[in-house]
Amino acid sequence: MNAKPVSIVMVEDDEGHARLIERNIRRAGVNNEIFAFKDGTSALAYLLGADGTGAENGARSLLILLDLNLPDMTGVDILAKVKSNAHLKRSPVIVLTTTDDQREIKRCYDLGANVYITKPVNYESFANAIQQLGLFLSVMQVPATE
């Protein structure tokens, strides 16, 4: 079984956070392709593909970095759609958000989030968290879809 390169789908509306996330992923030595989206509508359109079924991306290895606070919908809505989609449900989802509400964290894990990282407002600790995430991505294997 050949491991396909993992494409990273980043859903983050804050330009500064998006740049910081990408810079730290690169700094950790992860050179995977990153597709960035600033809102849920465009991210879902990409993930679900032209026909809306997700089949287009079913054969690809995707890792989704998801902010919960988006301008047009919540990241929880996106998470629920991804994890209930037959073609996308095995794609790991890492929630990266400023929300540290315990109910929200539990809800994300219940819906199938793989990792939940709270973005500290302190940029140095945020950078450290993202750098650790980059190291995690560099060794991670995404299960192949049948």
Side-chain angles (χ1 to χ4, degrees), residues 46-109:
Y46 174 78
L47 289 167
L48 295 174
D51 65 0
T53 65
E56 228 173 89
N57 281 317
R60 300 175 62 211
S61 294
L62 297 177
L63 169 75
I64 301 164
L65 303 179
L66 182 60
D67 185 14
L68 293 186
N69 307 308
L70 298 166
D72 56 342
M73 64 180 70
T74 73
V76 173
D77 295 335
I78 297 170
L79 177 62
K81 283 189 171 79
V82 166
K83 291 301 182 177
S84 65
N85 182 285
H87 303 287
L88 300 172
K89 65 183 177 191
R90 286 196 191 94
S91 299
V93 176
I94 297 175
V95 174
L96 285 165
T97 187
T98 50
T99 309
D100 65 356
D101 178 281
Q102 290 305 309
R103 289 179 312 246
E104 193 82 334
I105 294 170
K106 183 181 181 323
R107 190 163 161 222
C108 286
Y109 279 123

Side-chain angles (χ1 to χ4, degrees), residues 17 20 97-98 117-129:
H17 284 177
L20 188 67
T97 187
T98 50
I117 298 174
T118 303
K119 289 190 273 194
V121 179
N122 171 336
Y123 269 87
E124 200 171 308
S125 36
F126 181 49
N128 288 340

